[in-house]
Amino acid sequence: LAVATIAEVKLFSLRRRKGDEKGALRIQKIDVPKVLSDEGARLVTISPDGRWLSIVRPNSDIYMARIQQTSASNEKPQVMPQFAKLKRAARHVRHEKASHGTLGDYERTIRSVVFSDDSKVLASGDISGCVDTWVLGTATAPTNGTVKRSGASESDDDSSDDEDDDDVVIEGERWTTAATESPIPRMNSSITLLSFRPKSAPTQKLLANGTHQSGEDRLMVLTSEHQLIEFDARDGKLSDWSRRNPKAYLPAEFRGVKDRAMGCMWDLFEGRERLWLYGASWLWMFDLLQDFPSPDEAAKTEEGKTAG
């Protein structure tokens, strides 16, 4: 369990007490290196495999730390002192004039961070509508990147923090920026929700080259104006579903919902591919195996019903 305030980050280990028939949990505090915990966070996220901790600082800098699991049940996991600062794609700031005050920094505020189910892809979305993605890979050779450790000095104004961050190797692995050739384009409004489509093994199809089409990298993005778009997080391209279902094709009732989405659930059982979105007072289901008609086709259908 990871929790954070604007001033501190804390981690706890939860495990069942031995011999307790009621299943009571034993809570142990995990030591977090001061260089990671002392500056606080706006968002903290643990990867599904429990190996990585994502920390979004109050200024929206993103750091990745490695959680070392233990084989013995009576030992606590450890947070390694090494960490890497992830590099976000350079974007044009909309509010860059002096008359706009500090909005230029504010619009890059991160609202959502999410790991893929296999914990090998990380995505973040900010208020300006930008989505950044990173992938975890194996470091094939030593690099010249600086590995920061507990107690290392750090400053927001230190330009060295932005140099060679992708070269930081932790336990033979490193996070690198994805979709470098074609970054995911900026949305028209702020990012409300990010969710990776879970892998659906029973319905996986073989491609022409004999490889499986994986759903691990497909990232569903929802904006505050209810623009729903799915991308391949690794190459930044639209998924087949989004190419067939642009925003203009989405139901007007959905695009007109005023309450913003609070979360989502996936239903990929027994051949279904459904996405359930919910807000404070609404629930909406998208069947991703079905395509929406174009506005012209929908109008003709309505005219036919009226005439009938």
Side-chain angles (χ1 to χ4, degrees):
L1 173 67
V3 295
T5 67
I6 205 71
E8 189 176 7
V9 176
K10 292 184 178 181
L11 263 69
F12 301 90
S13 174
L14 308 178
R15 49 173 59 94
R16 296 186 182 278
R17 290 183 175 178
K18 293 182 178 179
D20 194 324
E21 297 180 354
K22 296 182 179 179
L25 292 176
R26 181 185 180 188
I27 304 174
Q28 292 180 305
K29 185 177 180 180
I30 299 175
D31 295 330
V32 180
K34 291 179 66 65
V35 70
L36 288 172
S37 66
D38 285 0
E39 295 186 17
R42 294 183 53 256
L43 296 169
V44 286
T45 309
I46 298 176
S47 63
D49 62 6
R51 297 176 64 244
W52 294 96
L53 174 68
S54 168
I55 299 175
V56 180
R57 294 296 195 195
N59 65 353
S60 287
D61 285 344
I62 305 178
Y63 293 90
M64 296 295 291
R66 179 79 159 77
I67 301 175
Q68 187 71 48
Q69 301 290 345
T70 58
S71 56
S73 59
N74 59 344
E75 294 182 2
K76 297 186 295 184
Q78 296 180 344
V79 180
M80 299 182 62
Q82 303 170 340
F83 65 95
K85 178 182 177 182
L86 301 188
K87 194 184 307 178
R88 300 169 69 187
R91 307 278 187 171
H92 172 71
V93 180
R94 290 170 175 164
H95 304 289
E96 58 185 4
K97 296 181 181 179
S99 59
H100 291 127
T102 59
L103 287 179
D105 293 333
Y106 173 74
E107 72 170 6
R108 294 309 309 272
T109 301
I110 293 176
R111 295 189 62 180
S112 178
V113 171
V114 62
F115 282 94
S116 62
D117 277 9
D118 65 356
S119 304
K120 294 183 178 180
V121 185
L122 178 74
S124 73
D126 63 25
I127 289 179
S128 72
C130 294
V131 176
D132 292 288
T133 56
W134 299 267
V135 295
L136 178 65
T138 303
T140 56
T143 65
N144 296 325
T146 302
V147 176
K148 302 182 180 68
R149 298 179 179 272
S150 177
S153 61
E154 181 181 4
S155 171
D156 290 340
D157 298 328
D158 187 358
S159 60
S160 63
D161 284 352
D162 297 327
E163 297 176 359
D164 299 329
D165 289 308
D166 286 347
D167 289 335
V168 177
V169 178
I170 302 176
E171 290 289 293
E173 297 176 306
R174 61 183 170 195
W175 289 89
T176 57
T177 305
T180 53
E181 296 182 359
S182 57
I184 294 176
R186 188 200 301 260
M187 307 295 110
N188 293 330
S189 56
S190 64
I191 305 301
T192 302
L193 181 70
L194 296 175
S195 180
F196 280 93
R197 187 192 294 222
K199 184 177 180 180
S200 182
T203 58
Q204 264 189 344
K205 297 179 180 179
L206 282 173
L207 299 180
N209 59 3
T211 60
H212 284 281
Q213 182 180 9
S214 173
E216 297 287 356
D217 304 335
R218 284 182 286 178
L219 176 67
M220 193 65 78
V221 180
L222 182 67
T223 70
S224 59
E225 294 182 355
H226 280 199
Q227 182 181 13
L228 186 67
I229 310 178
E230 189 178 49
F231 294 94
D232 187 310
R234 290 180 181 266
D235 60 22
K237 297 179 180 178
L238 288 173
S239 71
D240 292 338
W241 181 85
S242 276
R243 291 192 186 97
R244 300 191 306 267
N245 298 274
K247 182 182 179 182
Y249 285 33
L250 301 183
E253 294 87 348
F254 174 73
R255 290 183 280 121
V257 173
K258 298 302 181 184
D259 293 333
R260 300 304 165 221
M262 299 172 60
C264 71
M265 297 173 290
W266 290 90
D267 177 11
L268 303 180
F269 298 100
E270 298 178 354
R272 296 189 296 270
E273 292 189 18
R274 297 175 179 176
L275 171 66
W276 292 83
L277 298 169
Y278 60 89
S281 59
W282 58 272
L283 179 67
W284 194 284
M285 187 272 287
F286 284 92
D287 187 348
L288 303 181
L289 295 178
Q290 304 292 329
D291 293 333
F292 292 104
S294 67
D296 292 339
E297 292 173 344
K300 291 178 180 178
T301 302
E302 289 298 325
E303 290 176 0
K305 291 180 180 180
T306 304

